[in-house]
Amino acid sequence: MPDLLPTVPDATGHFGPFGGMFVPETLMTPLQDLAVAYDEARKDPNFQAELDDLLHNYVGRPTPLYFAERWTENLGGAKIYLKREDLLHTGAHKINNALGQILLAKRIGKTRIIAETGAGQHGVATATVCARFGMECVVYMGAVDMERQALNVARMRLMGAKVVPVTAGQATLKEAVNEAMRDWVASVDDTHYILGSALGSHPFPMMVRDFHRVIGVEARQQILEKEGRLPDLLVACVGGGSNAMGLFHPFLNDSSVRMIGVEAGGDGIIPERHAARFQGGKLGVLQGTKTWLLANDDGQIELTHSVSAGLDYAAIGPEHAYLQSIGRVEYTYATDNEALAAFKALATTEGILPALESAHAMAYIEKIAPLLPKSDIIIANLSGRGDKDVEQASKYLL
Ligand SMILES: *Cc1c(COP(=O)(O)O)cnc(C)c1O
């Protein structure tokens, strides 16, 4: 196994042939400056100490690594551990990144924050840290998503954020990202863009990954304490890919640890009815980065569908494209129905309502755990809690 950590991304943000900086010229210098500022920050013990303190006292880290005993017994195979990111402040892993980036923004003298959001989870995490640091916060959100996620819109506004509806195109996440980029081109002198997943131009995929590495660093230490050895398998859902990169990255050089990313299979692998980029996707460029994406033969981005808004995006993070290309991480998908069934299984056997995004990882566990010996150990990332999905799950399951 090659030593991956120091090698990717390179100085231009490439993970092998993937990644890079596909942005308007006005953003090139600011992004290069951001990469330099980030490199200084991560080596500064004071920066790390402030981040660690807030992760502990404000966000609630470390999160437990929980042995799902009844679920394990029910499935009758490998031992299942859940990394409980659902227990964090605001209910999902996204706050790890939002907090890291606002500390960086403060360090480089920015006073205004912008962000994009789809389901609203990243918008809520960003509004939260902006309130905590007294920074102006503008969140771009598709008008359609604002209607579907009215509760998250209210949460953001209650914390003082301005939520701007985007009505272009499909009026969902992709258009919200375009609008945030447009704002940033004009405002980059005083504004930092807190991007919400391991996506976009360099240095975002690297930076977002690094701020989520704490998930895997903790899980590694916790499983060694509990079991005295490394796990056999890691499983995480993959939207842009931040929670999966956070769990996987600290294990990449452990060749005995197998890793599986689970994409959204929607209604099945039919064009415009899923968001599984490795199933029928193409290599292309979208919103700053070169990666696998869902596009038609003319290169137009296709519509996507998933029951979970957080996995419903046409491109996957470039580091996942790289890890897939070298065969280090395998990727599969779960359909809407499989995710809903896994949501129910976890609710009724463990008393945990998972986010519908996380339920995609759980759906794969339902398939694989019974096939593995009881001596095997699986760690699955429970990236968020399902309170936000209760209405949707009720519609299908009750
Ligand atoms: C946003 C979200 C995801 C998907 O994003 P990644 O960057 O792929 O992690 C997964 N789970 C939850 C709970 C989310 O809110």
Side-chain angles (χ1 to χ4, degrees), residues 91-94 121-122 196-198 237-244 310-311 355 357-358 383-385 388:
H93 68 290
K94 289 202 170 72
Q121 294 299 105
H122 174 59
S197 189
C237 67
V238 186
S242 69
N243 86 89
L311 303 184
E357 290 82 7
S358 325
S383 53
R385 60 177 171 246
K388 68 186 177 60

Side-chain angles (χ1 to χ4, degrees), residues 16 21 25 37 83 139 144 148 163 208 224 233 305 352 374:
M21 303 176 84
E25 209 173 314
K83 183 60 174 161
V139 178
V144 169
R148 289 194 288 211
V163 184
V208 176
L224 288 173
L233 176 64
H305 162 79
I352 296 171
K374 288 189 173 165

Side-chain angles (χ1 to χ4, degrees), residues 175-191:
E175 292 79 18
V177 175
N178 286 339
E179 217 41 50
M181 293 283 283
R182 204 162 296 148
D183 180 316
W184 208 31
V185 168
S187 66
V188 67
D189 285 347
D190 70 347
T191 298

Side-chain angles (χ1 to χ4, degrees), residues 175-366:
E175 292 79 18
V177 175
N178 286 339
E179 217 41 50
M181 293 283 283
R182 204 162 296 148
D183 180 316
W184 208 31
V185 168
S187 66
V188 67
D189 285 347
D190 70 347
T191 298
H192 177 67
Y193 177 12
I194 300 190
L195 206 140
S197 189
L199 272 167
S201 166
H202 181 65
F204 284 106
M206 170 182 76
M207 215 161 63
V208 176
R209 171 199 77 195
D210 289 353
F211 287 133
H212 284 301
R213 280 189 88 241
V214 64
I215 302 170
V217 168
E218 286 176 8
R220 200 171 192 287
Q221 190 184 338
Q222 288 166 321
I223 201 70
L224 288 173
E225 276 163 21
K226 285 172 197 286
E227 296 280 352
R229 70 176 185 88
L230 292 174
D232 300 283
L233 176 64
L234 304 176
V235 182
C237 67
V238 186
S242 69
N243 86 89
M245 278 318 309
L247 177 65
F248 294 168
H249 199 260
F251 293 91
L252 284 177
N253 291 323
D254 300 309
S255 56
S256 67
V257 181
R258 203 178 149 200
M259 303 177 194
I260 299 199
V262 185
E263 297 184 279
D267 296 329
I269 306 306
I270 305 157
E272 308 196 344
R273 297 311 305 160
H274 71 98
R277 289 67 42 108
F278 287 128
Q279 313 287 330
K282 298 179 171 63
L283 193 55
V285 171
L286 182 64
Q287 294 177 331
T289 194
K290 186 171 180 185
T291 187
W292 284 95
L293 43 82
L294 293 167
N296 67 19
D297 290 337
D298 301 327
Q300 292 296 312
I301 298 305
E302 274 178 358
L303 294 182
T304 52
H305 162 79
S306 169
V307 70
S308 66
L311 303 184
D312 198 354
Y313 184 68
I316 193 166
E319 191 161 12
H320 287 285
Y322 173 65
L323 292 170
Q324 192 258 4
S325 73
I326 61 168
R328 179 63 187 97
V329 180
E330 299 156 67
Y331 294 84
T332 184
Y333 64 91
T335 64
D336 287 356
N337 286 338
E338 289 168 337
L340 285 160
F343 179 102
K344 187 173 182 182
L346 205 62
T348 54
T349 61
E350 295 290 346
I352 296 171
L353 300 180
L356 279 173
E357 290 82 7
S358 325
H360 285 71
M362 307 307 147
Y364 181 71
I365 302 278
E366 291 250 301

